[in-house]
Amino acid sequence: MGEAHPMEYTLGYGAATAGVHAEAKRIFEEAVEQMNSAQAMTGLPRMADNGLAGPEDPAAAAA
């Protein structure tokens, strides 16, 4: 996807809301890695806590 845009985390929330959890996770992870996005950092634990885009992972949700 290239370099993350400052508002890209918004696309992650849209993808998560639409039920496209694997794409949302990818967007959030990229935004965290490239921009240290606090907004994306809140999306990832929410997904981990709810078992979206992978098995439920309480340790990842608490990180």
Side-chain angles (χ1 to χ4, degrees), residues 29-59:
E29 287 174 342
E30 190 170 302
V32 169
E33 180 182 312
Q34 292 185 15
M35 300 179 305
N36 203 29
S37 168
Q39 292 86 356
M41 286 181 203
T42 64
L44 284 171
R46 183 176 302 120
M47 292 182 71
D49 191 39
N50 290 306
L52 304 173
E56 190 171 329
D57 189 345

